[in-house]
Every structure is written in structure tokens, then in C-alpha cells.
Amino acid sequence: RRQPRSTLFPYTTLFRSYGVHLCCPACPKAVGAALKDLGDPACDREAKTVTLKGDGISVAKALAALNKAGFSGSLKKPEGK
């Protein structure tokens, strides 16, 4: 028998990118502008992560938008953190 799916956020996709260059207050604003059409972005400068929540987010489009804006990151969490 299959496990029931979580119904907490049934229509929400979560995308998180690690190691994103977020050195100053302007960086999260630029990341937000790059991802605004794809979902609801949130940046954590201390952890250097970008989290994007929204309906049907394409991970490929989100990564392409970050790279196009000059921000690189990884889908994998760095070892030891």
C-alpha cells in the first residue's frame, strides 16, 4: 500500500540552491528579480541558499534564471554543513 502524500502543500514545489553568491544586500534583490516570474524566492545570506516556492516550478528554468543573472549554485547541500 502506498504512503499517503503530504497534503500540507499539495500544489507547491520547493526548489533550493546552495552556495549562491549572496555577499551584500543587493544580491538577494537581484536573485529575487531573476526568479520573480517563477515563484516566491527567499534568500538566506548567512547560509548562502535560495529557496523558491510556487506551483509547478521547473528546476531547469530556475537554475537557468540564476545562471543568466550571474549567480551560481548547487542543488546539493555542501558536505559537512
Side-chain angles (χ1 to χ4, degrees):
R1 190 170 171 210
R2 278 181 37 166
Q3 292 280 4
R5 266 181 43 153
S6 170
T7 57
L8 185 59
F9 299 105
Y11 303 108
T12 300
T13 303
L14 182 66
F15 161 80
R16 182 166 289 140
S17 183
Y18 298 91
V20 179
H21 177 80
L22 299 170
C23 65
C24 65
C27 291
K29 289 180 184 177
V31 167
L35 297 175
K36 70 178 167 58
D37 293 335
L38 299 174
D40 183 25
C43 298
D44 183 340
R45 284 182 53 205
E46 187 175 313
K48 295 185 178 186
T49 61
V50 174
T51 303
L52 184 63
K53 292 186 283 187
D55 290 342
I57 294 171
S58 166
V59 174
K61 285 183 182 180
L63 285 174
L66 280 176
N67 286 328
K68 185 177 178 181
F71 296 93
S72 61
S74 170
L75 293 178
K76 287 187 169 189
K77 190 172 185 178
E79 295 291 324
K81 292 194 178 186

